Amino acid sequence: MILRIDSSARVTLVVGHLYPEYLNIYADRGNIAVLERRAAWRGVEVEVRPIGLGDQIEAGGCGLYYIGGGQDREQALVAADLEQKGEALAAEVERGAALLAVCGGYQLLGRGYRDARGEWLPGAGLFPLETVAGGRRMIGDVLLECELEPGVPRTVAGFENHAGRTLLDPGAVPLGRVLAGFGNDGESGYEGCRRGRALGTYLHGPLLPRNPWLADWLLGEALGGVALEPLEDELEAEAQAVSAARARARGGRPQGHA
Ligand code: GLN
C-alpha cells in the first residue's frame, strides 16, 4: 500500500529519541532531521520526544525509536538505565514500532559491551549480540549491501569509528554485507543487526542524509508497513555516490574479504 495523505488529514508520527544529550557523536542527531523532513514532504508531522534517564517507555507511545552513538564514557552513563528499559523497548518493536540504533547505541541494545577499560556495560538485550572493545579502532568509510526486502538489494554508505567488535549470536540477522570497510568486527564480512523493524548499525555520517531509501523504509515501517511516495533525491543520490566511491577507494578491508 502506498501512503497518500490529502492536505486535510493530519498524521503525526512520534519519534522517541533516547538520551539525546548523551549519545550524539558525529552529529547523529542529523538522522532525526532527515526523518522529520522526509515525513513532512509526505504530509506526516513528526513529533520528537526525548527519552532520558529514568523516563518510562510507554506502551504504544512512539512509532519509531532512535538512539545515536557515543564514546565509552557516555555509554557508561546510560547503560544501567537502558538495561532497565530493555524489555519495554523489545515489546514496542514486537508491537510494531520501528527502531534505529547507531554505533554506541547499537552496542548497548545488545546484551552488553565490555569497554576499553574492561568494564562490562549491561545492554537492553534487544539485539542478539555482544560487543568487546579491541585494541585497534576501526575507522573509515563503509559501503554495505542490504536486502531489507527479499530480492531488492540496496547499498548503504557511511562512516565508522569504533573500538568495539560486535559478535552476532548464531542465527542473528546482520543489517548488510560489507562491500568496503570493517563492519561488525572486521572479520565476519557483515555489518549491523536486524530484528524485524529494528535496525542496528555502526554507520554514522550521519547515516540517513546519504541513504534516503533507508529513512523511507524506517518511516514506512513506523507508519504501519506502508511504502512512501518516492521523492526526487538527486542531491542525496550524489552524496551517496561520493561516499560509496570513497569507501571503495579507502574503506578498511575486512580480512578474508576481497
Ligand atoms: N565507544 C564505542 C566504541 O568505540 C562506540 C563509539 C561510537 O559510537 N562511535 O566502540
Side-chain angles (χ1 to χ4, degrees), residues 1-234:
M1 184 182 69
I2 294 208
L3 182 76
R4 281 206 180 80
I5 295 169
D6 67 59
S7 50
S8 59
R10 256 177 81 91
V11 177
T12 301
L13 171 66
V14 181
V15 174
H17 189 176
L18 285 146
Y19 315 114
E21 67 281 31
Y22 293 106
L23 300 179
N24 178 39
I25 206 168
Y26 301 118
D28 280 338
R29 201 188 297 265
N31 290 322
I32 299 267
V34 170
L35 291 168
E36 276 179 320
R37 177 48 49 195
R38 295 186 73 82
W41 278 329
R42 272 69 167 245
V44 176
E45 194 181 323
V46 165
E47 179 194 325
V48 181
R49 201 172 284 174
I51 303 175
L53 295 175
D55 291 344
Q56 296 294 317
I57 302 284
E58 282 168 42
C62 301
L64 197 154
Y65 290 86
Y66 177 71
I67 180 166
Q71 305 286 15
D72 290 13
R73 200 184 74 84
E74 285 81 33
Q75 288 177 283
L77 296 173
V78 305
D81 189 80
L82 191 52
E83 183 188 26
Q84 300 255 312
K85 290 181 168 55
E87 247 176 64
L89 265 180
E92 282 294 277
V93 170
E94 293 305 321
R95 177 193 58 78
L99 179 147
L100 176 64
V102 174
C103 201
Y106 164 48
Q107 294 172 342
L108 288 183
L109 284 196
R111 281 190 298 276
Y113 169 47
R114 187 158 309 282
D115 73 11
R117 292 178 309 149
E119 261 337 277
W120 175 252
L121 306 183
L126 187 138
F127 291 122
L129 55 88
E130 279 183 22
T131 304
V132 179
R136 197 168 60 98
R137 295 195 75 79
M138 297 190 270
I139 306 174
D141 296 283
V142 197
L143 185 64
L144 310 179
E145 184 177 70
C146 301
E147 205 173 300
L148 296 184
E149 308 299 335
V152 188
R154 319 283 303 249
T155 53
V156 170
F159 172 79
E160 63 186 325
N161 181 355
H162 52 108
R165 271 81 174 141
T166 294
L167 300 175
L168 303 189
D169 289 356
V173 181
L175 171 64
R177 200 167 62 81
V178 178
L179 299 177
F182 294 100
N184 276 336
D185 60 356
E187 289 180 11
S188 66
Y190 291 108
E191 205 289 314
C193 189
R194 175 181 183 188
R195 174 176 165 185
R197 302 170 195 88
L199 307 180
T201 178
Y202 271 112
L203 273 57
H204 303 274
L207 173 70
L208 298 181
R210 50 183 133 172
N211 299 289
W213 74 266
L214 190 59
D216 285 358
W217 185 87
L218 286 163
L219 288 170
E221 292 296 310
L223 292 165
V226 295
L228 302 182
E229 289 207 68
L231 300 171
E232 297 243 327
D233 288 336
E234 250 171 73

